[in-house]
Amino acid sequence: MQEQLDDIRRKALDELAQISNVGDLDEWRVNHLGRNGSLTTVLRQVGSLAPDERKEAGANGNKTKTLLETSLEKRTEEITNLVLEEKLKNDRIDVTLPGTPLMQGRMHPTMQTIQEITNAFVAMGFQILEGPEVEWDYYNFEALNIPPGHPARDMWNTFWVDYEDKDGNRPMLLRTHTSPMQVRTMENREPPVRVVIPGRCYRYEATDATHESSFFQIEGLTVGEGITFADLKGTLYEFARRIFGMDRQIRFRCDYFPFVEPGVDMSIDCFNCQGKGCRVCSSTGWIEIMGAGMVHPEVLRRVGYDPEKYTGFAFGMGPERIAMLRHGIEDIRLFYSNDIRFLQQF
Ligand code: PHE
């Protein structure tokens, strides 16, 4: 019997050492320690031995059983640890690996420019307003001294909305400039008024490097008592210095807009060549950046402001053009063609 036990022990322990997964451990347990297992079968024979042999065989049998049981426990623990270790090794995260880059959005260059420009005016006490892109003929033209048949209408032809009033007229359009907001603002408030109005405008235009059928403008308007052309110059000079640099010179030339009198266009000396002449300023030394003027008395009268008491000035500029000048962009169409390679540069 001792021999049998030794055999079983050797064989079982050998097998156990080969096992490397939990499922096989259970099979091993059934084979050796189970009801019909090798050891159980031998132990069952102990009862039939002679009494003097029985005691020793029983003790040895139990010893073997205990040994196999504790070996099984030990092996189970070993295998569980091995499996866990393996799992941890495979699941380990290498925190030094580069991550998946996320595309980061940013503000459109037109919006960046609008924000910088309006901030410069906010710092001088202006409020920011916005207005409708679909406008009445009345605000876009009529109230700005541009009656039907006025040549300025040809200059600013636009997209008319397919809507007829009872007289068969088409009085709605996509605004050609932000100036209608001058009128809307004055209709809604009493002086003093000091506002800037950025917004999208539309013109029925053949597009080229400097013309788009949709573009932005920034309108400015201030009305109050005792406002003179000197205030216009001082304010716009300060704006030019804030946006184009402290050394800027400014130049005004007469220009015509039906809703201002006198009307001017304003240029700055070229920030690129300091006025010597270069590509940016087409060798003239000057860059035209906006139209401006004193609000026409007729425009004031129409909104119910007394032109004898109140005066003011207005201005309008194109932020895309200003962004083009500052960044050396040669084609306005780049702003709205959604080419990420272009937009990413700003
Ligand atoms: N609205 C004019 C334009 O579109 C610009 C302008 C605004 C001129 C205000 C004078 C005063 O060209």
Side-chain angles (χ1 to χ4, degrees), residues 156 176-179 182 203 217 219 257 259-260 291-293 314-316:
W156 290 328
T176 59
H177 51 175
T178 43
S179 299
Q182 289 185 30
R203 289 184 193 174
Q217 279 194 345
E219 192 79 12
F257 303 95
F259 38 93
V260 288
F315 53 88

Side-chain angles (χ1 to χ4, degrees), residues 20-34:
S20 61
N21 72 68
V22 186
D24 292 349
L25 282 176
D26 201 52
E27 200 184 317
W28 181 90
R29 189 188 54 77
V30 172
N31 285 346
H32 299 291
L33 298 167

Side-chain angles (χ1 to χ4, degrees), residues 140-141 143-147 150-153 155-156 176-179 182 203 217 219 229 232 236 252-267 288-299 314-318:
N140 197 81
F141 293 128
L144 291 168
N145 274 344
I146 313 174
H150 193 287
R153 289 199 178 218
M155 237 164 67
W156 290 328
T176 59
H177 51 175
T178 43
S179 299
Q182 289 185 30
R203 289 184 193 174
Q217 279 194 345
E219 192 79 12
F229 198 86
L232 178 156
L236 297 183
F252 291 99
R253 291 188 303 184
C254 289
D255 201 346
Y256 172 70
F257 303 95
F259 38 93
V260 288
E261 180 58 37
V264 293
D265 63 52
M266 180 178 129
S267 301
E288 217 179 287
I289 56 170
M290 68 172 104
M294 301 304 290
V295 181
H296 198 290
E298 193 50 40
V299 175
F315 53 88
M317 65 186 108

